Amino acid sequence: MTLCRLGSAVAVLALLAPPAHPIGYWNSGTPGPTGVLRVTQPSVRWRVWRGDGAMVTEVRLTLNGAPVPATYAPEERSVVYDPPRPLPPGGYDVACRVAAERGDPIERAWQFSVARGARDRLAPPGPVQQNALAAANAYRRRLSLPLLRLDDRLSAAAAAHVSYLERNRTTGHFEIPGRPGFAGVTPRERKAPFGYFGSGYEAVDYGSRSVVEAVRALFDAPYHRMPFLQPGPILFGAARSGRHTVLEFGASDKEGTVVYPAAGQRDVPVTWDDKERPDPLQIHGARGTVGYPITLFHFAPDRLTMRVTGTTLATASGKPVPFFLNDPENDPEMAALNGVLIIPRRPLPPNTTFNVSVAAQTPLGRTVSRSWSFTTGAAPRPARVRRGPARTGRKRR
């Protein structure tokens, strides 16, 4: 899935989270790393767990036939092995066997190689990464969600892609082999060489004047807001070159329903400029400046799409507020994101409290309904009119 924010900034979001594959009572994801690596100490991982809740009792992992001290991390539901020292260049065969307190064990084998000239250490976080993290975590704090944690692998993948975008004067997720700075066709292919092969999301912004502005633009665009709101601990990476910014998010399996604006939040913006692709207003035949989007996303490991049965938006005095509704039934994007999007048809009045309610259920009958309130801030200041000679505007890409 690809989403773009248009206007002075362009942003793209890619979903990289494949479903788990059941194997009897075992569930497992794709192990890794695979392919050719640019790092010498990759984290070797295989996400695997029992669907019936049986505890893992034994893990055996070999590297080129030699046993290594792998462990099982229950909180990640993964076999983990972190090499204590750099691996020499060359190919590696991995074999893993996992047993549980009941049932038959499960086995998997895969390969990877370490490239000549691979790095022992990735670049440490700099001001771009720290500023992006602080801006993103400001939203997480407001929602009492665990703070994002910088990951050097994700930042390295972001840097590789943002360099390609800037050198080729383009934007988006996909790279073309043979072009300057080519690092991999897809986001997953660009992450894997740095030792990251988990599921996640990639967001791309073009046109913002700073990485902080890029984070805010991505968050305000309602489809792009979802990765920021994931419950549970999330890894994060960022890079910027020229006017391009790339953000990388890990993915969480933690279940939860998250709304934004948050319950009790004040100083909520009153408008949004409707510059996102796909355009969330397109299904309604509308366009232009509207009220600030209100979102509810339901996160669950089963990824079963919820069904919305009722939605309301009104002032604290009870006056209904007209809105556009995007839900899994009328919007394929919201079906993929498993969310509800409420877009006020007109800018919201400033310094006003609003009550929101969303009633929804999962296919298994679980309720994910929420009711909450928020308060808008002051009206935005009118733009200053420049006087003097005309200036040539930047060409929109």
Side-chain angles (χ1 to χ4, degrees), residues 265-288:
Q265 183 175 335
R266 307 185 66 84
D267 294 325
V268 174
V270 299
T271 64
W272 180 60
D273 59 9
D274 178 33
K275 292 177 180 177
E276 189 172 16
R277 188 174 65 234
D279 181 357
L281 293 182
Q282 186 174 8
I283 62 174
H284 306 290
R287 60 184 303 176

Side-chain angles (χ1 to χ4, degrees), residues 54-341:
M55 292 179 58
V56 170
T57 57
E58 181 186 359
V59 170
R60 186 176 188 273
L61 189 140
T62 62
L63 208 60
N64 284 347
V68 295
T71 60
Y72 187 78
E75 67 281 3
E76 300 179 30
R77 299 192 291 191
S78 299
V79 175
V80 179
Y81 170 63
D82 294 314
R85 60 186 61 87
L87 299 176
Y92 292 87
D93 294 318
V94 187
C96 187
R97 181 182 185 273
V98 184
E101 57 188 356
R102 57 179 174 269
D104 296 330
I106 184 174
E107 298 181 354
R108 184 65 60 87
W110 65 97
Q111 297 81 37
F112 67 88
S113 63
V114 176
R116 293 190 178 278
R119 310 180 204 173
D120 290 346
R121 298 181 182 276
L122 295 173
V128 165
Q129 290 73 37
Q130 298 289 2
N131 290 339
L133 180 72
N137 274 338
Y139 297 109
R140 304 276 294 180
R141 284 191 179 90
R142 185 173 291 162
L143 293 159
S144 298
L145 293 172
L147 298 184
L148 301 170
R149 293 184 292 115
L150 279 178
D151 185 274
D152 293 346
R153 300 165 301 173
L154 291 179
S155 290
H161 188 46
V162 82
S163 175
Y164 171 90
L165 298 178
E166 188 68 14
R167 292 176 68 180
N168 292 279
R169 300 178 62 82
T170 187
T171 193
H173 291 295
F174 300 101
E175 298 186 8
I176 299 175
R179 289 198 173 178
F182 174 76
V185 174
T186 67
R188 186 177 296 278
E189 292 176 9
R190 295 189 294 272
K191 292 179 181 181
F194 297 104
Y196 186 93
F197 50 89
S199 54
Y201 304 85
E202 179 181 87
V204 179
D205 175 272
Y206 170 71
S208 296
R209 292 171 293 182
S210 69
V211 69
V212 171
E213 183 180 284
V215 170
R216 291 172 180 167
L218 285 163
F219 189 90
D220 287 342
Y223 291 147
H224 295 80
R225 187 180 296 167
M226 188 273 281
F228 292 89
L229 304 185
Q230 298 177 85
I234 303 295
L235 297 179
F236 178 76
R240 182 174 173 82
S241 179
R243 300 291 291 275
H244 287 92
T245 299
V246 174
L247 305 182
E248 302 284 359
F249 297 83
S252 169
D253 279 337
K254 186 175 178 60
E255 186 168 357
T257 302
V258 183
V259 302
Y260 196 88
Q265 183 175 335
R266 307 185 66 84
D267 294 325
V268 174
V270 299
T271 64
W272 180 60
D273 59 9
D274 178 33
K275 292 177 180 177
E276 189 172 16
R277 188 174 65 234
D279 181 357
L281 293 182
Q282 186 174 8
I283 62 174
H284 306 290
R287 60 184 303 176
T289 301
V290 290
Y292 190 73
I294 303 159
T295 51
L296 176 150
F297 293 106
H298 179 61
F299 303 89
D302 57 26
R303 301 189 182 96
L304 295 177
T305 304
M306 64 183 176
R307 182 176 64 89
V308 179
T309 58
T311 311
T312 64
L313 175 63
T315 64
S317 63
K319 180 179 179 181
V321 177
F323 61 87
F324 299 108
L325 176 66
N326 295 47
D327 65 20
E329 290 191 4
N330 70 354
D331 185 345
E333 306 298 335
M334 296 311 289
L337 299 173
N338 205 15
V340 179
L341 169 56

